[in-house]
Amino acid sequence: RNSFFYTIKQRLLMTVGNISWTSFQFFIAIAIVGPSTIVGFGPSFQFREQTTFRQRYPVFSFLSPRFFYSRVERKCISRLLYRHDDEDDDGDDESDINIGDEDWRDFRAKLVMQKNDNANFSKKLDASAFLDEEEDMDGFGALFSQMDTGSKSVLVGKDVTDEQNSAIPEINPSRWAYETNGIVEQGAMILGGVEQEFGFSLQQQYYHKATVLVVEHDEAHFTKGIILNRPSDRFITDDLNEGVRWRVWFGGDVQNIDSDEPDIICLHSLKTNEAIKSSVEIMKDIKWTTFEVAKKLVNLGFAKPSDFCLFAGYVGWGPGELDTEILRNAWYMVATDSNTLLKELARQNRVADPREAGLDMWELLMKMIGRADIARRSVGTFDDLMVKEWAREHLSQSKMNDTARPVNNGVNSSDFRKKCAPGTLLRGSSTRRSPFLLSNQKFHKSLILIISDDEDSTIGVMLNHPAAKGLQMEVKETRTGKNIVLAAPIRVGGVIDGLESPLWLHCSPRLREAQIGRPIGGCWEHIWQCTYEEAADALADDLVKLEEFLVVNGISIWPKGEIETEENSGNMLESSSFEIVPASCIERVWNSLLKQEVLTEKNIQQNIDCGIEAWSAGGVDSLENRENMFAIDYIGMGHEEGDDSFVFNTDTKVAKLSDDALRVWVSACLLGITNQGNALND
């Protein structure tokens, strides 16, 4: 009874309930709680007897679904919402619904607050709450100059006694934001979810806790957005204005700054006629234009480079794709005021370190929509650490080239590729920063046997990843004549099914003497390959046990030249991502691999440990002994110096994070367990 809708309804009933033989026309427009649904109803009524509105026209009750779910064009309704009709002004208090110069989102937010009486919303929704009325908010540069340089910014993990309690920024009481029940519209915010079954820890880490601004939305065709919370240290030059450099942020993975034709969107809040005419309005006080237009506005003196915020790349969804992802809890749909976004962009541009990956902006908006508990529980998780490492790799100038250091005893990249002949055993790089942290985690601390090499590609098989199923075979013992059933783990050699049948490998002196199979690459003392029939005969003659074979299915391919596959980069073998295992170490490696079993949820860590043991046996120097070789200090934004062996601003070693990423990959890809990251957090 105290709701906004009920009040309007009662006033209307009191006004028209006792009118007799009077023609009366009126229009009502209400912004529904749903983010893009502004509905209107404009009937004409003629009352011929003393009656009430509800008695005479019950179908048009304010609670009628027909009223609430009618849709009209926003432009038409907006004109009616903003119209002031003096002749119908009866002196009644209409301040509750007169929005004047406010953003229509401000008006809708006010209705939401009055309806829900939610403490998360502010009671101050004036669009000028951030700036004095006399101030002309002209571009982002104006916001930068207004920020208090002495104010303390809340950053995750900095100067806090309790990280999870202090990491969530405090809400400015003049800001508002609320969830919109999954409805998408231009100007809406899409916040990356943390409750979905499978996140973005192993690939596309930039989507984790992303705050995406929808700049275009056509439900039948395409939705385009830009990520707002991935600031960078990267700059692009200006071919029109001499000496000018533009800082550009990561806006998405489609046509980003590393592409041949980057798509650059320039956000601004300029109010000059020249800027308005050459821009597209996204929401009140926020517009976008092209990089070419921004350069011309600066060249003509209508703007400064600091008035723009540049984003290279975008994210996009086809028809129905975003809705499906929202249903999987991958995103939260949010409406917020433009000043919240402007202030956050200005703050990030001024004080944010790109290696923080803009997580605090996401946390602020989550708190504003009433999901502070969810945000607090997700601080410092495995996914957080992974997106920080992604930001360091792609957005920060503080990136160290540790992974590119040669570790193959001075062998350069081209010579190393030539040495990858069939029969060569490789192991994943032992550099402090694994080259396989952010992608291709399966190769981290892996062991690869090269089985083929030609002018087009190099083909190998991984040896250290047992699958969740084993190979059963029935053989007849020569000595007893009995049939016995044996089982051994099948190892995942790669994601490409390029073998007609599983590959049988052995490193047994007895089988070599019996000449069971043939040596790969022609080296007698290295690893041998045999057929299923040869292995069955050796087992029947009791020359060997089944556990002494490695049975591999699937291959990994590294193309040469410009040819690349989706899974493997063609230059991976030239970038010191692998090391050659000395021949003297092969037997120790093999014996450690034989300890692995058919993969289960219970023995996953045991299998990984055995694989790492085998990997360690393949190197002259262990990873621990190599730590002193990489004493690297750097100067970063807001930090004097640090050790890049840790994830930025945390106490987590990158080496441990890489091992954790390997475990998550094994769990997800070999066992189908998608919540292993949560287990690591626990």
Side-chain angles (χ1 to χ4, degrees), residues 305-348:
S306 59
D307 291 330
F308 299 92
C309 197
L310 273 62
F311 297 86
Y314 63 90
V315 296
W317 295 269
E321 290 181 349
L322 182 56
D323 293 333
T324 301
E325 294 178 10
I326 292 173
L327 292 176
R328 295 202 304 260
N329 296 322
W331 307 101
Y332 307 110
M333 290 304 307
V334 174
T336 188
D337 63 293
S338 58
N339 284 291
T340 292
L341 301 183
L342 291 172
K343 280 292 187 180
E344 281 302 301
L345 290 174
R347 182 194 61 78
Q348 287 187 108

Side-chain angles (χ1 to χ4, degrees), residues 427-428 444-447 463-466 491 588-597 603-618 659 662 666:
R427 71 171 193 159
H444 172 64
K445 293 186 177 179
S446 63
L447 288 157
L463 302 181
N464 60 313
H465 289 311
R491 296 168 186 269
R588 295 200 307 269
V589 170
W590 191 270
N591 291 335
S592 295
L593 289 174
L594 294 180
K595 298 178 183 179
Q596 294 180 307
E597 303 172 349
N603 69 9
I604 178 174
Q605 191 58 54
Q606 174 186 335
N607 269 356
I608 291 176
D609 290 342
C610 291
I612 293 178
E613 177 186 311
W615 172 86
S616 299
D659 289 349
L662 172 61
V666 171

